[in-house]
């Protein structure tokens, strides 16, 4: 009887779930909607029920499951598995580990969603098992994770690795959802790229294929690949700040791998090349010599595989 780990990536819209072998291969994956009504009171029961239903569907038994590793969108108290706050789920000081263990009768490990994506890329993705790694995910916001000597850096109260909230524009920066101004998230996220583009389009009449169409991060990078001068200017500005942020973080952690994920990373080589140029300009030379910048490879599976890594460590598998 093959034993499986359970990896769960809990998001505000969907809950991604997977049964994963102890060597990190996905056996079966699926997702369910996230029911955030009544301050998320149904979420844990929905997860437990879906696990049971999927076991039946696969002609498998609960005895095959070793442990659950789950990532949630917010800072986590490491020892208790309590979420300090998950705004889009309606949770404050929510005892997720305790609640999920009671509902599933399985041991549960809880971490931040960016951290489990980091662990996933380290274990089975672009990280290639690197024991020193930075991960940054560029989506609607900017998330991140740090692995030092094989261990995720969680910090004193669960907020380690918040690369997206490094202040990049000290004065006059755009407001961030965190309450500060000028965060990396306001620049290098998909929404940040759109904001910068719209500001530049409004500022002058410079010809650009970006005029008249829908402005998206993808459109900007596609235009840059085609040689559009305004798009190239925007890409250079965005990657300047991203390269600076990664260099500053790398100067502290001296990583072997820097992995870039999220929707914006689909821009591909043009993103890596520009970020690498700025990174090497700002990083301490020996840090720059030791670091390779690569695109994430796991896509939406990073979270469930990272969750399985947490479960594996918890189960001692």
């Amino acid at each position: 009887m093959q034993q499986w780990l359970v990896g769960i990536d809990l998001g505000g819209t969907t809950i991604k779930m997977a049964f994963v072998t102890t060597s990190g291969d996905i056996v079966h994956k699926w997702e369910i909607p996230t029911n955030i009504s009544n301050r998320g009171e149904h979420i844990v029961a929905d997860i437990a029920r879906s696990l049971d239903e999927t076991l039946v569907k696969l002609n498998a038994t609960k005895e095959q499951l070793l442990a659950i590793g789950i990532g949630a969108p917010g800072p986590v108290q490491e020892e208790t598995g309590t979420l300090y706050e998950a705004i889009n789920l309606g949770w404050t000081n929510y005892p997720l580990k305790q609640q999920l263990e009671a509902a599933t009768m399985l041991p549960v490990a809880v971490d931040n969603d960016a951290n489990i994506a980091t662990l996933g890329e380290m274990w089975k993705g672009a990280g290639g098992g690197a024991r020193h790694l930075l991960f940054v995910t560029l989506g609607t916001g900017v998330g991140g994770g740090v692995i030092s000597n094989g261990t995720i850096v969680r910090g004193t109260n669960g907020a380690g690795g918040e690369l997206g909230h490094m202040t990049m524009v000290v004065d006059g920066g755009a407001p961030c959802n965190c309450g500060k101004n000028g965060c990396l998230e306001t620049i290098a996220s998909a929404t940040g790229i759109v904001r910068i583009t719209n500001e530049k389009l409004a500022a002058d009449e410079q010809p650009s294929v970006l005029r008249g169409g829908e402005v998206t991060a993808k459109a900007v990078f596609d235009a840059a690949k085609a040689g559009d001068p305004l798009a190239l200017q925007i890409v250079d500005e965005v990657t300047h700040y991203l390269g600076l942020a990664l260099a500053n973080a790398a100067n502290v952690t001296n990583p072997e791998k820097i992995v870039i994920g999220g929707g914006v990373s689909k821009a591909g080589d043009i993103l890596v090349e520009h970020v690498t140029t700025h990174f090497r300009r700002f990083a301490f030379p020996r840090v720059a010599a030791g670091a390779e910048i690569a695109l994430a490879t796991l896509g939406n599976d990073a979270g469930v595989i990272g969750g399985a890594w947490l479960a594996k460590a918890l189960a001692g598998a």
Side-chain angles (χ1 to χ4, degrees), residues 8-27:
I8 303 176
D9 186 1
L10 171 55
T13 305
T14 60
I15 303 169
K16 298 178 179 66
M17 308 171 74
F19 295 139
V20 181
T21 68
T22 54
S23 57
D25 299 316
I26 293 177
V27 176

Side-chain angles (χ1 to χ4, degrees), residues 229-265:
L230 180 63
L232 283 166
Q233 182 184 338
I234 294 162
V235 167
D236 191 62
E237 179 177 338
V238 168
T239 56
H240 170 273
Y241 284 111
L242 181 55
L244 173 60
L246 292 175
N248 286 339
N251 283 347
V252 176
T253 60
N254 192 193
E256 172 187 349
K257 287 281 183 73
I258 299 174
V259 179
I260 304 175
V264 174
S265 72

Side-chain angles (χ1 to χ4, degrees), residues 56-311:
V56 171
K57 175 182 169 184
L58 298 177
N59 293 316
T61 66
K62 197 74 160 281
E63 287 67 37
Q64 289 178 246
L65 306 183
L66 292 170
I68 296 171
I70 182 169
V76 175
Q77 210 288 326
E78 183 180 354
E79 289 76 19
T80 65
T82 296
L83 258 76
Y84 289 109
E85 188 174 39
I87 295 169
N88 56 352
L89 302 180
W91 288 350
T92 303
N93 293 321
Y94 186 80
L96 179 55
K97 173 182 170 69
Q98 177 187 330
Q99 294 286 344
L100 193 54
E101 285 183 338
T104 62
M105 304 304 291
L106 288 167
V108 174
V110 182
D111 208 334
N112 170 265
D113 54 357
N115 283 349
I116 66 165
T118 304
L119 289 167
E121 286 290 344
M122 178 272 291
W123 188 21
K124 300 295 288 187
R131 293 180 59 78
H132 301 276
L133 180 145
L134 287 178
F135 178 65
V136 61
T137 175
L138 312 175
T140 306
V142 174
V146 179
I147 292 174
S148 180
N149 202 28
T151 301
I152 200 84
V153 175
R154 298 182 175 92
T156 190
N157 63 359
E162 287 289 355
L163 302 181
H165 298 291
M166 297 174 69
T167 300
M168 306 311 299
V169 181
V170 178
D171 296 309
C176 182
N177 288 333
C178 75
K180 300 198 295 126
N181 291 334
C183 293
L184 179 63
E185 182 168 300
T186 69
I187 299 164
S189 65
T191 48
I193 293 167
V194 169
R195 176 189 61 79
I196 290 168
T197 303
N198 285 328
E199 287 176 356
K200 289 190 181 300
L201 287 170
D204 60 43
E205 298 300 319
Q206 182 179 351
S208 173
V209 298
L210 295 170
R211 294 189 183 278
E214 182 187 4
V215 175
T216 65
K218 181 180 185 302
V220 171
F221 277 98
D222 285 348
K225 290 174 190 176
D228 184 87
L230 180 63
L232 283 166
Q233 182 184 338
I234 294 162
V235 167
D236 191 62
E237 179 177 338
V238 168
T239 56
H240 170 273
Y241 284 111
L242 181 55
L244 173 60
L246 292 175
N248 286 339
N251 283 347
V252 176
T253 60
N254 192 193
E256 172 187 349
K257 287 281 183 73
I258 299 174
V259 179
I260 304 175
V264 174
S265 72
K266 292 176 182 175
D269 290 344
I270 188 173
L271 175 65
V272 172
E273 289 163 6
H274 279 72
V275 170
T276 300
T277 296
H278 292 295
F279 172 80
R280 298 204 178 286
R281 174 184 166 199
F282 294 120
F284 181 66
R286 186 151 181 86
V287 168
E292 176 191 350
I293 298 176
L295 295 172
T297 59
L298 296 180
N300 289 333
D301 292 340
V304 293
I305 292 175
W309 171 270
L310 280 185

